[in-house]
C-alpha cells in the first residue's frame, strides 16, 4: 500500500508533517526515550511503518546511539528527548557529539505552550539549556514552521563545522493541523576546494625528504578522503600520525607509513614532532592535550600546514606557515596532481623512505608482539595482552567501538587493517558513550557485527544499552575490561609524588569493590548472554564465539589493576 504524503493529504497534524519531512530526508530511525510531551510523535509513528523507533532506557544512551549511527551511516541522525529532564540526562553525550562534530538533529518535546504561563511540571527553557552544546537551538512556535526548520536543521548539522542542532517541539504544535507543504530535499555541494594549493605544493616540495610528517585528523573520515591521504603519504614517503585524541583512525593501520596516534601530553607530542621540519595536518583539532605540561606541542622551528573545512581551527592555537579552508578530499584531489611533478626529481629518495618505513613498521610490531608474549602467562591478564588478544579476535573487518581507557592505547597499536572505517572512539571524553554508540553503529552498518570494548567504570554509565541491543537483536559483542578501579585516575594520582594519596597509598573513590560489579549477572538481567574470562588464552576464542553468534553478547575480561 502506498503511503500518502502530507502534500497530497492537505491538512495534517504537525507530528505527521514532521514524519513526512524525516521520510524524505532518508531517516530510518528515531532514537529516544518517550515521555508525555513526546506522545503526539509516538502516536503518529503508528501510521509511519517505514520509520522505526529505537527505544533507549535513558536519554544519555539515546544520544550516544544516535551519535554512533550518524558516524557509521555517514548521514545525520534524528533524536527525540523528553523535555528539560531528558535533555539534561543526555547532555554528557551531547557534549561528546558536539566535540566530535556529529551531525545530529536533536529534538525534545515541550509542554503545551498555552500551559507555560502556569509553570507546569516538566516545563523548562529548552533552548537555553541546549545552546551550549549545539550549533543553534530554536523552539517551533507554529506547525507551519516545521518543514522549513526541520530542513534547515538537516542542512546545518552537516555543514562545516558539522555538529548537533536543536529544536524544541511543544505538544500543541505537534497536535495542531497545518496545510504547510512538506517541501523537498535540497542538494547542496559542500566540497569546496581550498585556495593557495600551488603555494602549498611549493612548500611541501621544498621540505627535505624524511623531514615532513602528516597528521591524519578526523575530517579525513568525514570527507571520505582516506584514499587521498594514502596517496599523499606514499608520494612524500611521509610517516602518518593519528590525532592525539581521535574519534576515528582514518588511515589504514596496516600501511607501513602508519606511525600510530600521537600522545596526549604537549611535551610528548613535541618530542615526536621535533624530528621533523614540517607537519601537514589534515583536519582540525588534531593535537588535543588532556593534562597540562609546560611548553607547546609544536616545537619552535617546525612549520605547520593545515587543511580543514572548519575555519575556526585554522591557526587557532599554533602558528602556521599556511592554513587553508576546504574540503579535505576535494582539496587533496586538486593538490596531488600539482605535487607529483614537483617531487619527480627526488622520486628515488621518497621510494627509499617507503622501504625504510616498512622495516620500522615491522620492527615496531615485532616488539609489541614480544612484549605481549612475555606477559601472556601472567596469573592476572595484563592490559597489553588483553588488547593484543582483542585485536587478534576482531581481525581486520569487524567494526570496533572503543571506550576502555586501560587498553585503548594498546589496542590502537595492535590494529592491523586496510579498512579506514573500522575504529571509533569518544572524542569528547565524557564517559557513557561506548555501549550505546555500538548499538547505533550496528544499525548504521545495516545490523553488521560490532565489537564494543568498554571499561568497567564507563560501562556503568550506560548499561541500559544492553537491553536495546537485545530488544533489537543486534550482533554486538560487548567486551568489558574489568580492573575494578578507575585506572586512568589512579595512575595519574600515583604519578604525583606530592599527593597525600600516594604517601598513604589510599585512593578515595577510585575502586569499584565491596561489592565488585557482576557484569555477567548484569547482562543476563537484560537478556544478553555473557561469560567471564580470567585467562589470556581464553580471550580471543570468547570474542570470536560472540561475533559468530550473530546476537548480542557480553565478554567480561578481568585484567590486572594498577
Amino acid at each position: 500500500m502506498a503511503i500518502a504524503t502530507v502534500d497530497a493529504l492537505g491538512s495534517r497534524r504537525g507530528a505527521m508533517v514532521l514524519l513526512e519531512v524525516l521520510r524524505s530526508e532518508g531517516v530510518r530511525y528515531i532514537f529516544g526515550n518517550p515521555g508525555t510531551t513526546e506522545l503526539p510523535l509516538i502516536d503518529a509513528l503508528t501510521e509511519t511503518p517505514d520509520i522505526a523507533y529505537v527505544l533507549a532506557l535513558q536519554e544519555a544512551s539515546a544520544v550516544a546511539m544516535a551519535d554512533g549511527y550518524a558516524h557509521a551511516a555517514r548521514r545525520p541522525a534524528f533524536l527525540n528527548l523528553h523535555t528539560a529532564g531528558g535533555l539534561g540526562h543526555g547532555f554528557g553525550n551531547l557534549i561528546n557529539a558536539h566535540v566530535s562534530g556529529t551531525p545530529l538533529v536533536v529534538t525534545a518535546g515541550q509542554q503545551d505552550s498555552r500551559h507555560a504561563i502556569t509553570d507546569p511540571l516538566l516545563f523548562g527553557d529548552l533552548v537555553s539549556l541546549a545552546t551550549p552544546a549545539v550549533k543553534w537551538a530554536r523552539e517551533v512556535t507554529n506547525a507551519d514552521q516545521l518543514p522549513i526548520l526541520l530542513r534547515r536543521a538537516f542542512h546545518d548539522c552537516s555543514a562545516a563545522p558539522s555538529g548537533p542542532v536543536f529544536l524544541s517541539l511543544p505538544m500543541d504544535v505537534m497536535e495542531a493541523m497545518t496545510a504547510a507543504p512538506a517541501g523537498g530535499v535540497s542538494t547542496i555541494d559542500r566540497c569546496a576546494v581550498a585556495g593557495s594549493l600551488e603555494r602549498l605544493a611549493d612548500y611541501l616540495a621544498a621540505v627535505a625528504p624524511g623531514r615532513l610528517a602528516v597528521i591524519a585528523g578526523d575530517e579525513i573520515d568525514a570527507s571520505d578522503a582516506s584514499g587521498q591521504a594514502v596517496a599523499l603519504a606514499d608520494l612524500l614517503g611521509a610517516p602518518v600520525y593519528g590525532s592525539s585524541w581521535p574519534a576515528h583512525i582514518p588511515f589504514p593501520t596496516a600501511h607501513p607509513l602508519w606511525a600510530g596516534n600521537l600522545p596526549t601530553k604537549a611535551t610528548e607530542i613535541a618530542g615526536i614532532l621535533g624530528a621533523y621540519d614540517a607537519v601537514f595536518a589534515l583536519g582540525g583539532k588534531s593535537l588535543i592535550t588532556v593534562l597540562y605540561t609546560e611548553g607547546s606541542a609544536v616545537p619552535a622551528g617546525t612549520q605547520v600546514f593545515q587543511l580543514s573545512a572548519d575555519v575556526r581551527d585554522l591557526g587557532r592555537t599554533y602558528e602556521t606557515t599556511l592554513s587553508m579552508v576546504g574540503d579535505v578530499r576535494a582539496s587533496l584531489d586538486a593538490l596531488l596532481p600539482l605535487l607529483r611533478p614537483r617531487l619527480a626529481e627526488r622520486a628515488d629518495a621518497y621510494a627509499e623512505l617507503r622501504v625504510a618505513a616498512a622495516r620500522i613498521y615491522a620492527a615496531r610490531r615485532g616488539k609489541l608482539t614480544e612484549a605481549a608474549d612475555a606477559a601472556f602467562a601472567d596469573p592476572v591478564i595484563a592490559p597489553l595482552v588483553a588488547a593484543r588478544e582483542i585485536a587478534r579476535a576482531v581481525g581486520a573487518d569487524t567494526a570496533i567501538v572503543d571506550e576502555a581507557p586501560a587498553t585503548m592505547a594498546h589496542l590502537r597499536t595492535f590494529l592491523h587493517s586496510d579498512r579506514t572505517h573500522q575504529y571509533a572512539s569518544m572524542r569528547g571524553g565524557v564517559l557513557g558513550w561506548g555501549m550505546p554508540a555500538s548499538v547505533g553503529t550496528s544499525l548504521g552498518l545495516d545490523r553488521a557485527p560490532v565489537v564494543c570494548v568498554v571499561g568497567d567504570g564507563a560501562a556503568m554509565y550506560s548499561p541500559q544499552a544492553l537491553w536495546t541491543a537485545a530488544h533489537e537483536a543486534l550482533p554486538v559483542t560487548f567486551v568489558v575490561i574489568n580492573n575494578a578501579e578507575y585506572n586512568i585516575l589512579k595512575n595519574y594520582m600515583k604519578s604525583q609524588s606530592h599527593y597525600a594519596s600516594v604517601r598513604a597509598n589510599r585512593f578515595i573513590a577510585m575502586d569499584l569493590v565491596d561489592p565488585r560489579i557482576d557484569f555477567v549477572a548484569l547482562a543476563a538481567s537484560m537478556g544478553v548472554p555473557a561469560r567471564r574470562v580470567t585467562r589470556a588464552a581464553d580471550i580471543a576464542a570468547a570474542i570470536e564465539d560472540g561475533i559468530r553468534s550473530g546476537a548480542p553478547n557480553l565478554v567480561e575480561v578481568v585484567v590486572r589493576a594498577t
Side-chain angles (χ1 to χ4, degrees), residues 42 64 68 98-99 101 217 299 357 388 395 403 426 497 518:
I42 297 298
H98 177 70
V99 174
R388 195 268 299 272
E403 193 188 18
M426 49 155 196
S497 58
D518 187 342

Side-chain angles (χ1 to χ4, degrees), residues 206-527:
V207 179
R211 302 296 297 174
L212 173 73
V214 173
I215 301 177
D218 286 326
E219 277 185 58
I220 293 175
D221 185 85
S223 66
D224 201 18
S226 297
Q228 288 77 3
V230 169
L232 176 73
D234 281 337
L235 192 60
L236 294 163
V240 178
Y241 294 91
S243 299
S244 56
W245 193 261
H248 303 282
I249 299 179
F251 196 86
T253 52
H255 195 287
L257 288 169
W258 174 244
N261 287 91
L262 291 166
T264 59
K265 291 183 179 179
T267 50
E268 294 175 0
I269 295 173
I272 292 171
L273 300 187
Y276 305 100
D277 296 332
V279 295
F280 184 16
L282 300 174
K285 296 186 177 71
S286 294
L287 302 181
I288 295 173
T289 52
V290 178
L291 297 171
Y292 176 77
T293 55
E294 194 71 32
S296 170
V298 178
T302 300
Q303 289 185 298
V304 176
F305 303 96
Q306 283 180 293
L307 172 62
S308 174
D310 185 357
V311 68
R312 302 173 309 169
D313 283 331
L314 300 178
R316 178 177 176 84
T317 305
Y318 307 103
E319 177 185 345
T320 64
T321 302
L322 178 62
S323 295
M324 296 152 295
V325 181
D327 176 77
V328 173
R329 177 171 181 159
S331 299
L332 289 183
D333 278 338
L335 173 66
L336 289 167
L338 300 175
L339 196 53
R340 288 189 183 99
R342 288 169 166 83
L343 302 178
E345 290 184 359
R346 295 191 288 192
D348 290 345
Y350 295 117
E352 290 175 5
L353 289 173
R354 293 192 292 271
V355 172
R359 290 196 300 267
I360 294 170
Y361 180 91
R364 184 171 71 245
R365 292 192 67 84
K367 288 182 179 179
L368 281 169
T369 298
E370 290 175 6
D373 287 344
F376 192 78
D378 288 358
V380 182
I381 301 168
L384 175 72
V385 173
R388 195 268 299 272
E389 294 304 291
I390 293 168
R392 189 165 69 85
V394 173
D397 297 320
T398 302
I400 298 171
V401 173
D402 190 5
E403 193 188 18
T407 55
M408 185 177 287
H410 299 311
L411 179 58
R412 290 172 185 165
T413 62
F414 280 113
L415 294 178
H416 186 75
S417 175
D418 291 324
R419 286 190 58 201
T420 55
H421 300 307
Q422 182 183 28
Y423 180 89
S425 190
M426 49 155 196
R427 191 171 188 179
V430 181
L431 294 181
W433 170 87
M435 294 179 79
S438 66
V439 170
T441 297
S442 182
L443 289 170
L445 297 174
D446 291 326
R447 298 178 175 266
V450 172
V451 172
C452 172
V453 188
V454 61
D456 53 336
M460 293 312 298
Y461 280 73
S462 295
Q464 303 91 340
L466 292 167
W467 184 90
T468 305
H471 183 69
E472 294 286 340
L474 294 172
V476 179
T477 299
F478 298 93
V479 181
V480 178
I481 304 299
N482 190 356
N483 52 22
E485 65 179 10
Y486 290 140
N487 176 266
I488 195 168
L489 299 181
K490 191 182 286 188
N491 278 337
Y492 174 75
M493 293 187 80
K494 287 187 173 183
S495 72
Q496 307 300 303
S497 58
H498 61 288
Y499 274 21
S501 299
V502 177
R503 295 193 298 273
N505 194 32
R506 179 169 173 254
F507 302 92
I508 297 171
M510 298 288 132
D511 297 296
L512 304 181
V513 296
D514 301 325
R516 188 168 177 134
I517 299 162
D518 187 342
F519 286 97
V520 172
L522 177 63
S525 75
M526 298 196 192

